[in-house]
Amino acid sequence: MEKEDIKVLNKGDEEEMELQGYRLCRWRLALVGLGVLCTGGFLLLLLYWMPEWCVKSTCTRTTARDAEVVLLRSTDEFRRWFLAKVRVMLAPGSNPFHSLETQTTSPSSPSSPSCPLSPDSTSLANGHTPHASDSSPAEELIRRFADYQPTQIRYFTFHSTKYYWNDEVQNFEVLNGLEDLQVSCSTLHSEHSAGLTRNQQEYRKLFFGVNEIAVKVPSVFKLLIKEVLNPFYIFQLFSVILWSADEYYYYAVAIVFMSVISIATSLYTIKKQYVMLHDMVAAHSIVRVSVCRANNDIEEILSTDLVPGDVIVIPSNGTIMPCDAVLVSGTCIVNESMLTGESVPVTKTNLPNPVPGERGEEADGAYSTEEHKRHTLFCGTHVIQTRFYTGELVKAVVVRTGFGTAKGQLVRSILYPKPTDFKLYRDAYLFLLCLVAVAGIGFVYSIVLSIMNKVPAKTIIIESLDIITITVPPALPAAMTAGIVYAQRRLKHIGIFCISPQRINICGQINLVCFDKTGTLTEDGLDLWGVQRVENGSFHLSEENAYKENLVKTQFVACMATCHSLTKIEGQLSGDPLDLKMFEATGWILEEATEEETALHNRIMPTVVRPPKQLLPPEPAVSPEQDMELYELSSAYEIGIVRQFPFSSALQRMSVVARLLGEKRMDAYMKGAPEVVASLCKKETVPDNFAEVLESYTKQGFRVIALAHRRLESKVSWHKAQNISRDHIEKNMEFLGLIIMQNKLKTETPGVLQDLHRANIRTVMVTGDNMLTAISVARDCGMIPPQDTVIIADALPPHDGQSAKIIWRYADKPSKTSRLEEINISLEDVCHVDEPKRQELYHFAMNGKSFAVIAEHFTDMLQKLVLHGTVFARMAPDQKTQLIEALQGVDYFVGMCGDGANDCGALKRAHGGISLSELEASVASPFTSRTPNISCVPSLIREGRAALITSFCVFKFMALYSIIQYISVTLLYSILSNLGDFQFLFIDIAIILLIVFTMSLNPAWKELVSRRPPSGLISGPLLFSVLTQILICLGFQTITFLWVRQQPWYTVWTPLSDVCNHSSHINMSDLNDTELDDHNIKNFENTSLFYVSCFQYLIVAIVFSKGKPFRQPSYKNWPFVLSAVGLYAFLLFIMFHPIESIDKFLEIVCVPFEWRLKLSLIILVNAAVSVVVEGGIDLRAYKCLSWVCCPRKMTPKARYMHLAQELSVDPDWPPKPTTTTEAKPCPENGSAYQIMINS
């Protein structure tokens, strides 16, 4: 049979995977079973760690269609393997969206191309038996639809998502929900708003499953097994068995004790996180909902039974949404803080229902949650209240359920996070491999030595394996975690909460931070600075406010009073802060109709606004001939809001249809981004100097909003207004003028940005605001220094056969003209350390549209632009994420700081994302700050650097500890001796654990310095430092070992040896002890090496405990100082004042006093050499080494440095003003664009 190609699942998606099909092979299974028995279960462990080996050793390849097991591999940089079992389910049909009632009795599977899950025609011939648990609800349905041929449906579950086999595309696919049908807005209204029958609902439930985001909290036993089967614990188990065989019971017990504590704390934290997530999700996951059935009945069911296509009734007093649904009638006010972090209530309107005849075909696109989010209620969000007309219910069609919902995706991203790829962790494994290699040498050495000395086989095996356990320290993971735990505790102390502790180390590497503008760099609220009205196509002078008698009846004020999405919640006005400020500036009053009024009147207007009495002109005396009724109408000046088109960030505008009381015709009012509003107005109503006036405001950093108005045709009735499309309203408007809002910088912003610049950390602004406003704010806060030039890149997509192009404009000239010098993207890492910094003199700015065009048509240009892009304006949430990916693509370590409103994706994607919002949306962000300003950014980077340096210190110390012990043991093996059980115990527990857990306690240094810590262990200075210390320790231990044997008093030690003249102490019990000393532990070499090595551990601990510039000096870490001083005192005490009981416990022998003095001399010289060498490496060797490793010619490691070097010699860079860059259709010379000078 022809083997099938590898299938690709979720193509182009973040979760893209390759899939291969396999089926079980009996003889391979038998062979593997035999192998497991022969290796004592070790092979089983290996297959557990390596899913791909497991599948390949027990199965044979087959087509994906016939697979019993699928092997999945992620296509990201981690290339992880997973396996999943294919199951089979029986159902009365093959497509969840088929109507069983209308199907013919023998369906020929007329599967629609939208979602064809075609049946498996092979029936049961391929050896599968349908899964019992899946077929029970299906059997009932099959009995009910006895006429139908039961269909076999193949699927597998992976990461809480079901993948079904689709015959049409010959691949497995995910069922998302109603969106799979690509249903248009009008079809949603016409075909899906009636509801489902109970049978249809049960049939769909077979495919979509229970509507629940089930976070299963694993049992302690399951978690324990998973934790214990970690390769490291298996290695510890091997060590413990080995030590027990060698009768090192005490040390074995100590390691078991440590492991138990480590596993217990790990289990506790994992279990706690699961329980927290479970509680967060489960709090509102199951509620009772009212569902409309196809026969107009309303039935109450549990939310777990909902399926895509169900029509639910939203209660008037609000609810927590149990699924994603689209509003088909009525209006809702929703708090979406759970998803967006924005606590401002959002108004959701019903999905427009374009009437086919009225040029509505264009507007009637396919429904998508992203495009129609203003009409979609998302799972987990809180509906505060609903509004309806004429007793009509507020209804919504269920679009997605369970893990397919927006909240489900968020929970999945927490349950199955991507591994954090960081050089430190990769290097740690390499380093361990080096230690294993060293252990291998010792292993061979001890075997050869033992054979030459005719040692028994059992001893040879135990002692040679013992070398391996000495070289790879079992306490390493606990030691590495300690530093991160302490850093997390310090961060919590300064109000930064962390849900992904591994990221703390990565934050130490951040060299670029992206900031959102509104609410992050600037204050959240806007203040009205003034208004500038337009009459007869020209601007009036600017006015401070619109609260004036002479303006009260103008269209300008009417627009300010009606064009908003404000609502009253418990008597309080609430809504977008900008809308609130604008409405408050008019001084008008907003009144909403009560539910009783709405039900009573047939066509009541939902919201009415009117000016306060004192602003209206005094009433004129009534002349007898004047119509009394007309007078009453004219005196009551009220405007009713008939229809709202909510603000859309894609369209950058909002509009309303309103009617003045007593008027026959309706009015349309619009507000939005000035450029957009002006483009929708009649040319003659827009002043000629519009662009200059707008630019003068935006350059000063004001937020400008334009207003427009149009009288609608008399044929537009109330009913028509409810169904009219937005495009009909928003055209041929009259330009009314500008509202100028001021967005003040937060007081901390300039200082923090200055600190980051001093530390050579680039800052970038990513905002949804206007470009010139953003540039102005960037200048005000010091992100762009006053003398620097800003180059605006305006990209235009391909149009009328012309290729895409970028037009370069210089925003404003710097105060003093100076030649544009080469780029400086700080090359401070490795090379050019001594060179003075060159001033960076230009910055790129672009908007979201240009960014999208450049990303698509100028891919190689994008990398050059992000190198110097400082302002990215009008960026959509997904574009923020793309920008962060582009920056990471040129090897930047990117931090992102946002207020959570629309930065969720970017916060998650960055190396270190900090959310300034304390709402549930911060679940998406690794870090959340309690202080609502950016001062948390330098604090996080400082703590990250301290944690990173701590990790290096601990790793270097642990490596040296194992090597020092390895040297001692290897030297002692040469005389068939070893360290004693209690000597090992004293070193490992009293010295190592105490030192490791206290040396991690150094707090971060007070300020950010311009030097960055190295990113990996395999870097010149670090390796040089470790190697020199190893050589020093080796040298001094060897000197001690050889020198003791040259001493005049030296003989091979026996219990009768009396070099200390203690003849009275020798008695028969000592003789008996020696007969038991099989390991030959008591001797002069052992005692001398024990003393020297104990001091060596303390020396390297002090030498490696680096303080400045990333951590506070070690003398401020009092637990460490106390531990080190205490251990020094104890060791000197037992060395110069032997106590028999301690000597006996540690198996130390008595040596002459002059030898102790010589030992102390060796220790002092060792300490001095270690300190001097390490200090030298810190000062000079770093520069010498970087000079050796990185000659001037060599290209730097990071891509952004490499690009900066290239661009510094490019005469055409940066682009000159008034030049255009065009995309070439097919690049021949490797460059996909050319620069042209406009004539």
Side-chain angles (χ1 to χ4, degrees), residues 562 605 639-643 656-660 665-669 712:
T562 56
M605 290 173 185
I639 302 174
I641 301 166
V642 178
R643 172 93 194 269
V656 293
V657 176
R659 182 195 271 163
L660 179 63
R665 285 162 72 176
M666 297 196 184
D667 295 277
Y669 294 105
L712 296 177

Side-chain angles (χ1 to χ4, degrees), residues 190 462 512 556 559 586 605 736 860 929 985 1116 1119 1156 1223:
S190 58
I462 288 174
L512 181 147
F556 187 88
C559 186
T586 63
M605 290 173 185
L736 292 177
D860 46 350
S929 168
L985 198 64
K1116 288 193 176 178
R1156 292 167 203 218

Side-chain angles (χ1 to χ4, degrees), residues 1097-1119:
Y1097 298 125
L1098 293 174
I1099 291 164
V1100 291
I1102 288 164
V1103 161
F1104 285 158
S1105 274
K1106 296 277 168 51
K1108 210 174 154 184
F1110 303 118
R1111 305 198 305 166
Q1112 297 274 8
S1114 290
Y1115 60 78
K1116 288 193 176 178
N1117 176 357
W1118 60 265

Side-chain angles (χ1 to χ4, degrees), residues 185-186 189-190 327-330 349-361 363-364 389 392 603 642-645 657 666 712 715-729:
C185 297
S186 55
H189 277 281
S190 58
L327 265 180
V328 284
S329 69
T349 56
N350 57 333
L351 187 74
N353 183 10
V355 184
E358 301 180 10
R359 203 178 62 81
E361 300 299 326
D364 193 14
Y389 319 117
E392 200 180 312
R603 290 283 180 247
V642 178
R643 172 93 194 269
Q644 252 182 31
F645 296 101
V657 176
M666 297 196 184
L712 296 177
K715 63 178 181 183
V716 178
S717 64
W718 193 95
H719 183 73
K720 227 173 189 177
Q722 296 309 313
N723 297 310
I724 199 163
S725 82
R726 198 165 181 161
D727 303 344
H728 277 77
I729 300 288

Side-chain angles (χ1 to χ4, degrees), residues 558-610:
C559 186
M560 284 175 74
T562 56
C563 198
H564 52 69
S565 54
L566 298 177
T567 181
K568 274 195 171 167
I569 296 174
E570 292 168 6
Q572 284 289 311
L573 266 184
S574 104
D576 187 283
L578 185 143
D579 285 354
L580 258 173
K581 276 278 187 294
M582 191 177 81
F583 184 74
E584 283 167 3
T586 63
W588 284 39
I589 297 150
L590 181 133
E591 286 177 358
E592 286 183 337
T594 60
E595 282 177 31
E596 293 78 29
E597 286 175 320
T598 311
L600 196 69
H601 296 75
N602 193 24
R603 290 283 180 247
I604 187 85
M605 290 173 185
T607 305
V608 171
V609 291
R610 56 182 173 77

